[in-house]
Amino acid sequence: QVQLVESGGGLVQPGGSLRLSCAASETIFSMNAMGWYRQAPGKERELVARFRRVGSTMDLDYPDSVKGRFTISRDNAKNTVHLQMNNLKPEDTAVYYCNAGRNGASYWGKGTLVTVSS
C-alpha cells in the first residue's frame, strides 16, 4: 500500500502562486503514473497534471485549463512530486489530490485545499 501525503495548500489571491508537494512512502521511480487531480464543490474529480510512463519514457499530461500556468516536477531521490501553480484563478479553487498508479492499482492521498479568493 503506497501512502501519499499532500502539503502546500492554502488561501491565495487571484494571480498568486502556490506550490503543492506530495510525499510518497515508496520509490516513485516504480510508478507507472503519478500526478495531481482536483475536485471542486459539486464537480467531478479532474486531472490537473501527471507523469505517465509510455514505454521507456515519461510523458506529461496537462488539460488546457492549466496549461502554461501549472508545472509538475518530481524529485526521485526524495520520492516527492511537486505542482507549481502560477497565475491562479478563482476557478482553480478545489481540493487537490495526489495520485499514483502501479501495476493496475491506484493510490490517493487525502487531499489539500486550495482556495483562490480576494
Side-chain angles (χ1 to χ4, degrees):
Q1 184 81 7
V2 178
Q3 307 293 327
L4 302 172
V5 179
E6 302 98 335
S7 61
L11 174 64
V12 63
Q13 293 187 342
S17 298
L18 277 178
R19 186 184 192 223
L20 305 183
S21 297
C22 172
S25 61
E26 300 182 22
T27 174
I28 64 173
F29 186 77
S30 67
M31 304 301 172
N32 299 116
M34 191 158 184
W36 294 90
Y37 290 72
R38 69 185 180 188
Q39 188 165 18
K43 295 188 176 181
E44 294 186 354
R45 194 170 296 190
E46 62 176 358
L47 172 70
V48 176
R50 70 178 173 191
F51 292 99
R52 180 169 53 92
R53 190 183 302 278
V54 179
S56 60
T57 63
M58 276 288 184
D59 280 2
L60 292 175
D61 295 323
Y62 296 100
D64 289 342
S65 58
V66 307
K67 203 171 290 185
R69 299 188 299 123
F70 291 10
T71 303
I72 189 171
S73 62
R74 55 194 289 156
D75 185 337
N76 289 336
K78 296 183 178 180
N79 296 323
T80 301
V81 172
H82 303 287
L83 182 69
Q84 178 66 41
M85 305 186 293
N86 297 328
N87 190 21
L88 283 160
K89 305 175 181 181
E91 51 263 43
D92 295 317
T93 295
V95 178
Y96 284 69
Y97 296 91
C98 183
N99 173 263
R102 185 178 64 189
N103 299 330
S106 185
Y107 305 95
W108 294 92
K110 293 182 178 181
T112 185
L113 177 63
V114 172
T115 303
V116 185
S117 175
S118 56

